[in-house]
Amino acid sequence: MEIPLAFYQSLRLDDNKSRSRDSSYSNPNVFNFPRFSGYDFSLRRRRWKNPFAKITCSSLVQGLKPKPKLKPEPIREIDQGPKDPVLHDTQISKSAVAICSQIEKLVLCNRLREAFELFEVLEIQGSLRIGISTYDALVEACIRLKSIRCVKRVHGYMLSNGFEPEQFMMNRILMMHVKCRMIIDARRLFDEMPERNLFSYNSIISGFVNFGNYLEAFQLFKMMWEELSDSETHTFAVMLRASAGLGSIEVGKQLHVCALKLGVVDNTFVSCGLIDMYSKCGDVEDARCVFDDMPEKTTVAWNNIIAGYALHGYSEEALRLLYDMRDSSTSLDQFTLSILIRISTRLAKVELTKQAHARLIRSGFESEIVANTALVDFYSKWGRVDTARYVFDKLPRKNIISWNALMGGYANHGRGADAVNLFEKMLAANVGPNHVTFLAVLSACAYSGLSERGWEIFLSMSEVHGIKPRAMHYACMIEILGRDGLLDEAIAFIRRAPLKPTVNMWAALLNACRMHGNLELGRVVAEKLYGMEPEKLGNYVVMYNVYNSMGKTAEAAGVLDTLESKGLRMMPACTWVEVGDQTHSFLSGYKCDFYNEAVKRQIYHKVDELMKEISEYGYSVAEDKNLLSDVDVNEEQGVVRYHSEKLAIAYGLVNTPEWNPLQITQNHRICKECHKVVEFISLITGREIVVRDASRFHHFKEGKCSCGGYW
């Protein structure tokens, strides 16, 4: 079948396009419509690879030429005078509608920056009235970006165009200011609102609570109660958080009563808020009552009650609750694991922390900042600072707490150079240091003897970073001066300090007097400490050691008489070592009554064996006249050979593999004789031994200690 060309020439382009695809054809050379080129068209549902090869034109066969087309005449511009302003405004209005529609689509697709770039077109044109949906999209973009500049642009455009929002939109604008932390402007908008509802009050109250202005939040809550005589569960949850921030349990109990009267106390958010409030205000028993009365215990509720027990030192009970939470099939989140790690830090349970670390990885929380920062803190505090650095380096994003935790770990373990390098790396990463940062790095300089670098950092606090040094920073500098033996300079530094000397400052100087044997200055400093902390045992013990080491037996006896007259009693020295998942404790002397006779013989035999072996390496028993902190004087004189740290180390060496470092914890400052013994033991056994005493960490390795002989 042949289709004549005249059939196509007689069709208009619109008619041709409107026909069915099965019966439409197009010649790109004639119609200049290239989008159909290369397509296979069908006729009567038959498909050909090249349909145009099957078509022949009868006109061409007959040698006829196609009808010539008329050339269009050029369009002449006719001067019609000024354009119709109505038509011009209509064109602008259509353009504005298109822009508004595009802005809403961009916000919906979370392309917020592009939306504000397009909004700039509306700002340039000015005086264009846009719809409420577009304003709502722009408000949402501001909330997501948390950009104060964008808030000012959007709100300014609303005011300049005379936009009069209804209550819904007013609440959205109010929330925009609150979310972007423009709390003063938010309060002004709130006061100017002609009508306010619960959403209005909830937004402004939440803003003040988040800012820590709890009193203003309570005033607004009272105003809401008087104006609306109503409240929501969300409002109660926020106000309970404000009560916890104020530490006011009385106000919290009044809120509890209001929640009971309104029948919202069984709400999950209110119950969790009550548990948190009672816990932070110190009433753990009432918090437990609220928790026990909950019909359904959520993960947040478990976290709050466990954190409450841990906060007030009930670590064992907190750990039991954690096991109950696990047995109840409640899911553990990253906050649960971070609480578990903090409890393990307090209880010195390394194995439990390793399990929590493994659970973090299995649960996909290896990049979560809260729990992993807790891990960095734990490993730093318990002698595994290299593991802490590994966890720290794996964090994709780090906050100031993460940096401070690792820096403090380096400081405690005497790795001052590493702490200073980390401090410089933090500054290079544009992370602003705070008071805790400077305390960590200055402590590292003091513990490691980096005097010059310590003074540079101390001076940079106020000169470069604008942070006024506190008493704890001055105490670090006094320790730096004391370590260098500059005691006169240290006392002059205290007198020139722009603040009243604190206990820590005098204690650092007293310790320097003890290490350098300066009796006269030590007596003056001790008198200062006696007046400031008359009940603190450690001050008397340090002074006793100063007198005893100088051979002043009469003065030393006078210190003991003072202790007796004040009713202060020295507690027995105790040392703990963790073997597996069990913690074993030891007292000095022959007081290992916790173990059977076979284990006791094994422990004492190992101590005798170690003492004999280190004697062959050059160790000699020196007469140590220093009294251990919190140790009875008769005990110290009679059982020097079997001090508690020696027994703990012996037990650890017998019951742990050779490649495992020993972790020792004790409630007193390690004495000079035991410090020397542990150095030799680390040399002959090749074991790393980490001792955490009452002053700091001692990392013994290959016969050397991280403290450098100053503690």
Side-chain angles (χ1 to χ4, degrees):
M1 174 182 177
E2 295 183 355
I3 301 175
L5 183 62
F7 173 77
Y8 290 95
Q9 290 178 336
S10 63
L11 289 176
R12 292 179 303 171
L13 180 61
D14 294 338
D15 294 336
N16 194 16
K17 287 195 295 181
S18 64
R19 289 177 177 267
S20 171
R21 290 184 180 180
D22 294 338
S23 59
S24 60
Y25 293 89
S26 174
N27 188 341
N29 295 325
V30 176
F31 295 107
N32 193 21
F33 208 44
R35 61 178 176 177
F36 289 135
S37 61
Y39 279 68
D40 291 341
F41 297 93
S42 61
L43 182 66
R44 295 179 183 175
R45 301 196 178 276
R46 293 183 58 189
R47 294 183 179 273
W48 300 308
K49 292 184 179 180
N50 189 358
F52 295 103
K54 302 293 182 178
I55 301 173
T56 58
C57 182
S58 59
S59 300
L60 294 177
V61 172
Q62 298 175 11
L64 301 176
K65 294 182 179 180
K67 183 178 179 179
K69 296 182 179 181
L70 297 175
K71 294 183 179 180
E73 296 183 2
I75 299 175
R76 297 179 182 179
E77 294 185 2
I78 301 174
D79 189 7
Q80 299 178 352
K83 294 183 179 180
D84 187 359
V86 176
L87 180 62
H88 182 65
D89 291 344
T90 304
Q91 292 173 348
I92 294 177
S93 177
K94 290 181 179 180
S95 175
V97 169
I99 293 173
C100 291
S101 176
Q102 192 67 20
I103 288 174
E104 294 172 20
K105 292 176 182 177
L106 289 171
V107 173
L108 187 64
C109 297
N110 206 32
R111 295 163 63 178
L112 308 178
R113 296 291 180 186
E114 296 178 43
F116 273 101
E117 290 176 2
L118 202 56
F119 175 63
E120 190 174 353
V121 177
L122 297 178
E123 291 178 301
I124 293 173
Q125 292 183 358
S127 302
L128 294 178
R129 295 186 177 274
I130 61 179
I132 188 172
S133 60
T134 306
Y135 279 128
D136 188 59
L138 290 169
V139 167
E140 181 64 27
C142 291
I143 292 173
R144 293 187 200 173
L145 289 173
K146 290 182 170 55
S147 170
I148 295 177
R149 180 174 176 271
C150 291
V151 172
K152 291 182 176 180
R153 287 173 59 187
V154 172
H155 195 222
Y157 190 86
M158 291 178 179
L159 296 175
S160 63
N161 283 274
F163 177 62
E164 296 180 359
E166 297 179 355
Q167 187 175 29
F168 166 77
M169 200 61 203
M170 279 296 300
N171 287 335
R172 291 281 290 166
I173 296 169
L174 177 66
M175 187 173 66
M176 173 181 69
H177 283 80
V178 170
K179 293 287 186 181
C180 296
R181 304 183 67 82
M182 302 172 65
I183 195 66
I184 297 176
D185 293 332
R187 181 57 195 268
R188 178 178 51 79
L189 282 172
F190 177 81
D191 292 336
E192 294 174 355
M193 289 178 68
E195 185 179 356
R196 296 185 283 258
N197 58 11
L198 281 175
F199 188 89
S200 313
Y201 276 101
N202 287 339
S203 295
I204 193 67
I205 289 173
S206 299
F208 277 106
V209 171
N210 292 333
F211 259 84
N213 194 338
Y214 306 120
L215 293 176
E216 186 70 20
F218 273 107
Q219 290 177 0
L220 286 165
F221 178 75
K222 182 181 177 182
M223 185 190 306
M224 180 191 71
W225 198 265
E226 293 173 350
E227 182 177 338
L228 304 177
S229 300
D230 195 7
S231 184
E232 288 182 336
T233 56
H234 173 76
T235 314
F236 277 107
V238 172
M239 295 314 301
L240 287 169
R241 190 152 55 93
S243 300
L246 286 175
S248 174
I249 194 169
E250 294 301 325
V251 176
K253 287 182 176 180
Q254 293 180 35
L255 290 170
H256 193 175
V257 171
C258 290
L260 285 169
K261 290 181 178 179
L262 292 176
V264 298
V265 74
D266 289 334
N267 180 270
T268 302
F269 295 104
V270 176
S271 297
C272 292
L274 285 169
I275 295 169
D276 182 66
M277 182 273 296
Y278 281 123
S279 298
K280 290 181 178 177
C281 292
D283 195 344
V284 185
E285 294 181 0
D286 283 345
R288 183 62 180 268
C289 290
V290 175
F291 175 78
D292 291 338
D293 291 340
M294 288 184 68
E296 182 180 355
K297 298 174 177 61
T298 62
T299 300
V300 176
W302 281 102
N303 289 347
N304 284 352
I305 191 63
I306 294 170
Y309 275 100
L311 178 66
H312 295 285
Y314 302 108
S315 300
E316 295 288 350
E317 181 64 25
L319 193 57
R320 281 193 290 270
L321 281 169
L322 267 167
Y323 292 142
D324 292 341
M325 179 182 180
R326 179 197 62 187
D327 297 339
S328 68
S329 300
T330 306
S331 60
L332 278 66
D333 60 7
Q334 63 268 33
F335 300 104
T336 314
L337 295 173
S338 67
I339 296 169
L340 173 59
I341 294 167
R342 289 200 295 270
I343 295 172
S344 303
T345 304
R346 184 171 297 173
L347 296 176
K349 291 186 175 293
V350 179
E351 291 301 321
L352 186 61
T353 304
K354 289 181 179 179
Q355 296 175 23
H357 192 176
R359 181 67 179 266
L360 270 176
I361 297 173
R362 289 198 307 269
S363 303
F365 297 138
E366 62 269 15
S367 301
E368 202 280 326
I369 192 167
V370 176
N372 282 278
T373 298
L375 270 179
V376 172
D377 182 61
F378 174 86
Y379 286 128
S380 298
K381 288 180 177 177
W382 291 104
R384 289 164 171 76
V385 69
D386 291 329
T387 307
R389 182 58 186 263
Y390 174 80
V391 176
F392 176 83
D393 290 337
K394 286 289 184 180
L395 281 173
R397 114 186 126 81
K398 307 169 180 66
N399 58 14
I400 187 65
I401 302 174
S402 311
W403 291 95
N404 291 346
L406 183 59
M407 208 176 302
Y410 280 136
N412 289 331
H413 290 276
R415 295 172 61 171
D418 291 330
V420 172
N421 291 336
L422 187 67
F423 175 73
E424 294 173 347
K425 184 178 179 180
M426 185 186 78
L427 295 181
N430 295 322
V431 179
N434 58 15
H435 289 95
V436 181
T437 311
F438 283 105
L439 177 62
V441 70
L442 291 176
S443 298
C445 294
Y447 292 168
S448 304
L450 303 176
S451 306
E452 184 176 348
R453 191 71 183 96
W455 280 106
E456 291 176 1
I457 294 172
F458 178 77
L459 294 175
S460 71
M461 283 186 67
S462 55
E463 296 177 359
V464 178
H465 302 284
I467 298 177
K468 185 178 180 181
R470 299 182 181 179
M472 54 188 177
H473 305 112
Y474 281 93
C476 292
M477 304 316 297
I478 293 167
E479 188 161 356
I480 287 177
L481 292 171
R483 189 184 182 101
D484 293 340
L486 305 174
L487 301 182
D488 293 336
E489 288 80 355
I491 192 69
F493 183 74
I494 292 176
R495 289 170 178 167
R496 291 197 308 268
L499 46 82
K500 185 178 180 180
T502 62
V503 171
N504 291 334
M505 295 168 67
W506 289 117
L509 184 56
L510 180 61
N511 189 53
C513 295
R514 177 183 67 86
M515 293 299 297
H516 295 286
N518 191 322
L519 180 61
E520 296 302 323
L521 183 57
R523 184 185 292 114
V524 174
V525 176
E527 292 297 332
K528 294 278 188 183
L529 285 171
Y530 293 162
M532 299 174 73
E533 289 185 331
E535 304 299 325
K536 187 174 182 179
L537 182 63
N539 298 330
Y540 297 95
V541 173
V542 172
M543 201 59 215
Y544 174 89
N545 289 335
V546 173
Y547 285 133
N548 217 18
S549 62
M550 299 294 293
K552 304 289 185 179
T553 55
E555 287 83 351
V559 174
L560 296 178
D561 292 338
T562 303
L563 286 175
E564 186 176 355
S565 65
K566 289 182 176 293
L568 298 176
R569 180 177 174 272
M570 296 186 182
M571 300 301 294
C574 187
T575 303
W576 298 267
V577 61
E578 185 172 357
V579 176
D581 59 350
Q582 297 292 323
T583 301
H584 302 268
S585 59
F586 296 89
L587 300 174
S588 297
Y590 300 93
K591 299 180 181 179
C592 294
D593 299 333
F594 308 105
Y595 308 96
N596 57 45
E597 290 299 324
V599 175
K600 288 168 66 175
R601 283 196 301 270
Q602 185 184 38
I603 294 172
Y604 290 115
H605 175 72
K606 184 65 176 178
V607 173
D608 294 337
E609 183 182 300
L610 290 170
M611 296 300 292
K612 181 179 179 181
E613 192 172 353
I614 65 176
S615 297
E616 297 174 358
Y617 275 78
Y619 168 76
S620 59
V621 180
E623 183 182 0
D624 188 5
K625 298 181 180 180
N626 281 353
L627 178 69
L628 297 182
S629 176
D630 303 338
V631 181
D632 184 76
V633 61
N634 297 323
E635 175 191 319
E636 172 70 14
Q637 293 173 355
V639 290
V640 173
R641 185 175 183 85
Y642 299 117
H643 275 180
S644 59
E645 46 264 66
K646 295 179 186 176
L647 299 176
I649 290 173
Y651 184 84
L653 291 173
V654 171
N655 293 281
T656 57
E658 296 180 355
W659 61 84
N660 193 24
L662 285 183
Q663 180 72 52
I664 308 296
T665 309
Q666 52 192 72
N667 64 349
H668 57 277
R669 189 191 300 265
I670 188 172
C671 67
K672 290 183 178 180
E673 194 268 339
C674 287
H675 191 277
K676 190 176 181 181
V677 167
V678 180
E679 285 181 335
F680 275 96
I681 291 175
S682 68
L683 177 64
I684 64 173
T685 61
R687 300 283 290 271
E688 290 186 28
I689 303 174
V690 180
V691 178
R692 185 183 186 184
D693 71 355
S695 62
R696 67 190 62 181
F697 279 91
H698 300 265
H699 199 109
F700 297 93
K701 186 177 181 180
E702 297 178 354
K704 296 181 180 179
C705 180
S706 60
C707 72
Y710 187 91
W711 73 96

